[in-house]
Amino acid sequence: LRSRDPEALVSEALTGDRAALARVLSMVERGDYDARVVARLVHPHTGGAHTVGITGAPGAGKSSLTNRLIAAVREDERDVAVLAVDPSSPFTGGAILGDRVRMQDHALDDGVFIRSMATRGHLGGLALATPQAIRVLDAAGAPWVLLETVGVGQVEVEVAGAADTTVVVVNPGWGDAVQANKAGLLEIADIFVINKADRDGAEATRNDLEQMLMMSKLPEDGWIPPVLTTVSTSGEGAAELWSAIDDHRAHAEKAGTLDARRRSRIENELRTILVRRLEELATAQGGDALWPSTCDAVAAGLLDPYAAVEQLLKRVMQPTG
Ligand SMILES: Nc1nc2c(ncn2[C@@H]2O[C@H](COP(=O)(O)OP(=O)(O)OP(=O)(O)O)[C@@H](O)[C@H]2O)c(=O)[nH]1
Ligand SMILES: [Mg+2]
């Protein structure tokens, strides 16, 4: 079963074998021991890709827009990889099917690699698996990685904002921009797109966005998020979006914010991994009995939650005790 060995698969993936790449991404998705081996192997080969997060409410047209954006990137003779993350919430049950259908135009293009990823199961799975999957695509040589995530829920918004350039997609219609603001999307946007601009109300939505932007504080690096309009069913506006993304990349690189952001993302990632490891260790050290008995003690009023965690931590620090 040599082909199941992560070392062999990673080296095949790094030489451009798409089947191997898909299997390596499955390892990352599962988040088990193999995923750690993958992380070690790909890390030295990363740092070349620019990541673009595309986020917005369910059904905003993220996949359709991504499909058009792929075409614009290819027109520019660049290769591109797409990672569509499905948080598997009840809101987005059909997202993976939708991604496949909407991005089918590029299924036969060698310069395009599209992958949907679901991260069911373990806590923090999405937050940990996504940056790792991006690194795999980066190491495999993709100069641009597009990341589609639904902008609902705190973790999803965090993941969406963990890109070099973040595109927030809203639709025309009363209150859509206000909803995006409430979801925390305004803060993470480098570029706004009003998609479905073939519908009524695009100008009102633009006014809403621009007003909210005027009231929020300007980024220190002087970038003012542009507000673009697109029609993803026809492809209108996709070339302008691609050029705005490239402008943002150039600006962030020059202003030094690209490096600063990447650095702060690494810090967040390390903190998440640390918390996750501590939890694993607390479970491993205590065997099966520790968690239930500790929870019972808290439920019975014998221990408060903070004291309970201190006890768990003690077990981690003193494995033999
Ligand atoms: N009229 C119009 N419809 C659009 C436009 N862009 C997308 N749609 C339609 O909107 C629906 C949702 O599009 P998707 O691209 O799947 O949206 P999504 O945001 O990826 O959806 P999820 O991944 O499920 O959250 C589809 O029926 C699209 O055809 C547009 O510019 N105009
Ligand atoms: Mg989609």
Side-chain angles (χ1 to χ4, degrees):
L1 288 177
R2 215 185 84 84
S3 65
R4 286 185 188 278
D5 167 17
E7 314 241 351
L9 277 175
V10 167
S11 62
E12 284 164 30
L14 295 192
T15 58
D17 182 326
R18 297 164 76 96
L21 181 55
R23 297 185 60 180
V24 170
L25 288 168
S26 298
M27 290 175 171
V28 169
E29 191 174 23
R30 282 196 299 273
D32 53 17
Y33 174 74
D34 282 344
R36 286 187 204 167
V37 178
V38 169
R40 172 170 58 78
L41 296 171
V42 300
H43 201 75
H45 305 278
T46 57
H50 189 89
T51 58
V52 181
I54 296 159
T55 194
K62 301 177 294 296
S63 298
S64 313
L65 183 65
T66 302
N67 182 49
R68 297 295 181 179
L69 196 55
I70 295 169
V73 179
R74 296 297 291 146
E75 191 97 340
D76 226 6
E77 296 179 353
R78 320 275 184 96
D79 287 356
V80 60
V82 179
L83 188 66
V85 175
D86 174 13
S88 305
S89 76
F91 292 115
T92 55
I96 284 194
L97 186 63
D99 304 332
R100 295 251 162 86
V101 174
R102 313 257 187 263
M103 298 182 209
Q104 208 152 54
D105 296 0
H106 308 285
L108 298 175
D109 183 343
D110 264 354
V112 180
F113 182 88
I114 298 172
R115 167 72 181 217
S116 297
M117 195 168 76
T119 48
R120 291 174 184 82
H122 52 74
L123 193 73
L126 187 65
L128 288 177
T130 306
Q132 210 44 54
I134 289 172
R135 285 201 185 93
V136 169
L137 295 168
D138 178 356
W144 291 87
V145 178
L146 312 183
L147 169 70
E148 177 190 337
T149 54
V150 69
V152 172
Q154 193 194 333
V155 177
E156 288 81 0
V157 170
E158 264 166 37
V159 167
D164 296 325
T165 300
T166 301
V167 178
V168 169
V169 184
V170 299
N171 292 150
W174 193 82
D176 204 55
V178 177
Q179 287 306 320
N181 190 13
K182 280 190 188 162
L185 295 178
L186 248 60
E187 288 152 48
I188 62 165
D190 298 304
I191 297 168
F192 288 99
V193 168
I194 304 171
N195 186 49
K196 307 194 187 183
D198 52 324
R199 296 189 178 167
D200 286 345
E203 273 318 299
T205 303
R206 174 192 292 280
N207 289 338
D208 283 351
L209 282 175
E210 283 174 351
Q211 243 170 41
M212 286 191 281
L213 279 173
M214 274 187 336
M215 288 187 292
S216 60
K217 71 173 174 25
L218 282 173
E220 312 97 62
D221 70 350
W223 175 261
I224 297 168
V227 180
L228 310 177
T229 49
T230 59
V231 181
S232 296
T233 39
S234 72
E236 210 179 301
E240 289 79 1
L241 173 58
W242 167 234
S243 121
I245 289 168
D246 207 28
D247 285 350
H248 177 258
R249 181 199 54 75
H251 180 95
E253 233 165 54
K254 208 167 143 223
T257 39
L258 190 59
D259 284 339
R261 267 203 207 183
R262 287 179 175 175
R263 175 75 172 55
S264 98
R265 253 149 53 197
I266 286 170
E267 181 172 340
N268 287 339
E269 193 181 357
L270 297 191
R271 288 182 190 280
T272 309
I273 295 172
L274 178 65
V275 169
R276 176 80 184 288
R277 280 296 290 150
L278 278 174
E279 196 194 306
E280 279 174 7
L281 286 172
T283 303
Q285 305 293 356
D288 286 339
L290 184 61
W291 282 96
S293 64
T294 309
C295 292
D296 287 347
V298 175
L302 302 172
L303 260 183
D304 71 86
Y306 288 91
V309 169
E310 287 305 321
Q311 272 194 10
L312 292 170
L313 271 177
K314 246 182 217 144
R315 296 292 285 262
V316 175
M317 307 302 198
Q318 301 159 349
T320 50

